[in-house]
Amino acid sequence: MSMEGKVALVTGGSRGIGRAICLELARQGAVVAVNYAGNEQAALETVEACRALGAQAEAFRADVSGAAACEELVQAVKDRFGRLDILVNNAGVTRDGLLMTAKEEDFDRVLDTNLKGAYFCMKAAAKVMIRQRYGRIVNLSSIVGLRGNPGQTNYAASKAGLIGLTKAAAKELASRNITVNAVAPGFIETDMTAAMPEKAREAMLATIPMARPGQPEEVARAAAFFAREDAGYVTGQILCVDGGMAV
Ligand code: NAP
């Protein structure tokens, strides 16, 4: 297995796409650190599901929107498992609203969690990975970061920002044997999309050539590809998992 003995940290691993990524990494042999913000019950369910696959796993509570919390999170994982090989920046939130009426605090919350959270975790993880001369970083962007979406200016900005962050960090870290890539999911069935108004859901679904929503496991397999040791010559790439939406 390409991830045997590798230690992975997945932010927002308690539910949805993050949980599916934890399970896929566990299935491929990784030790999994499951980060969550507040939903301890869900995080522990992910941990149990990873263990049922024969993997070592543990839950780590941290709000990734703060720099200190991200540093402490990475340190806690390193202290517990001795190294950090894979970082998946998956934690994300939405605060939808039209540009004209959206609030600045919503913009800040979305940018702080989705973009700065990934930046802080990458910074902390890169220090460990550079010393190891090995690392795999995977960021969860979105089709919305590539194409925009009405009512999601803050979210689109955060997800487009992740693409620039991914490409710049890929160039900086390539010589250290650290790859940085992003997955851009389309419309995936999770709590996040279940919370969308019915009209917005229907509008999104109508733009999918495959005429169905994606499943978290379909995104997880793409994220796990980038996280594998044998994907080491792939960096700075954005892989859409979207049933053809971006084509
Ligand atoms: P979700 O079901 O709403 O789950 C969000 C996860 O993020 C939860 O585990 C949550 O933890 C965690 N989280 C939220 N804020 C956090 C914070 N400040 N610190 C740490 N963890 C935090 O979302 P999802 O649909 O699985 O989405 C996962 C990622 O994929 C997000 O980055 C999202 O933007 C992206 N994405 C999703 C879709 C889609 O269609 N679903 C499409 C494109 C991109 P708790 O359980 O503790 O709350």
Side-chain angles (χ1 to χ4, degrees), residues 8-55:
L9 166 60
V10 181
T11 69
S14 43
R15 293 182 280 129
I17 293 170
R19 172 180 285 181
I21 292 172
C22 288
L23 294 179
E24 185 58 34
L25 299 181
R27 199 171 288 120
Q28 296 198 29
V31 173
V32 185
V34 180
N35 160 253
Y36 66 102
N39 200 334
E40 186 175 26
Q41 182 59 33
L44 293 177
E45 280 170 25
T46 304
V47 166
E48 282 313 315
C50 289
R51 289 181 182 162
L53 292 166

Side-chain angles (χ1 to χ4, degrees), residues 11-19 35-40 42-43 61-66 73 89-94 109 112-114 140-144 155 158-159 162 183-194 196 204 214 216 219 241:
T11 69
S14 43
R15 293 182 280 129
I17 293 170
R19 172 180 285 181
N35 160 253
Y36 66 102
N39 200 334
E40 186 175 26
R61 183 179 194 142
D63 178 345
V64 298
S65 64
L73 171 64
N89 286 308
N90 164 85
V93 292
T94 51
R109 185 67 206 162
D112 285 352
T113 306
N114 299 7
L140 268 289
S141 178
S142 167
I143 188 86
V144 170
Y155 183 77
S158 74
K159 295 296 175 177
L162 277 171
V183 178
F187 184 84
I188 312 299
E189 273 186 335
T190 66
D191 293 346
M192 185 179 274
T193 46
M196 283 168 72
M204 270 273 199
V219 179
V241 181

Side-chain angles (χ1 to χ4, degrees), residues 101-222:
T101 50
K103 296 193 185 88
E104 183 179 355
E105 69 204 51
D106 288 335
F107 187 88
D108 288 342
R109 185 67 206 162
V110 169
L111 269 287
D112 285 352
T113 306
N114 299 7
L115 183 57
K116 284 175 81 175
Y119 172 71
F120 295 142
C121 286
M122 279 170 70
K123 259 175 111 99
K127 271 187 211 151
V128 180
M129 291 173 175
I130 284 170
R131 272 187 235 118
Q132 290 173 180
R133 293 197 69 80
Y134 184 89
R136 300 279 181 268
I137 298 172
V138 185
N139 295 322
L140 268 289
S141 178
S142 167
I143 188 86
V144 170
L146 291 165
R147 300 184 46 178
N149 195 32
Q152 290 198 304
T153 49
N154 52 22
Y155 183 77
S158 74
K159 295 296 175 177
L162 277 171
I163 291 173
L165 180 62
T166 298
K167 292 183 178 180
K171 286 184 171 173
E172 269 191 35
L173 299 172
S175 65
R176 312 301 185 106
N177 196 26
I178 300 168
T179 65
V180 189
N181 292 286
V183 178
F187 184 84
I188 312 299
E189 273 186 335
T190 66
D191 293 346
M192 185 179 274
T193 46
M196 283 168 72
E198 193 51 36
K199 260 184 137 179
R201 280 173 59 84
E202 279 169 19
M204 270 273 199
L205 278 168
T207 66
I208 306 174
M210 285 190 186
R212 67 165 179 88
Q215 295 304 313
E217 294 73 21
E218 295 178 298
V219 179
R221 285 191 286 272

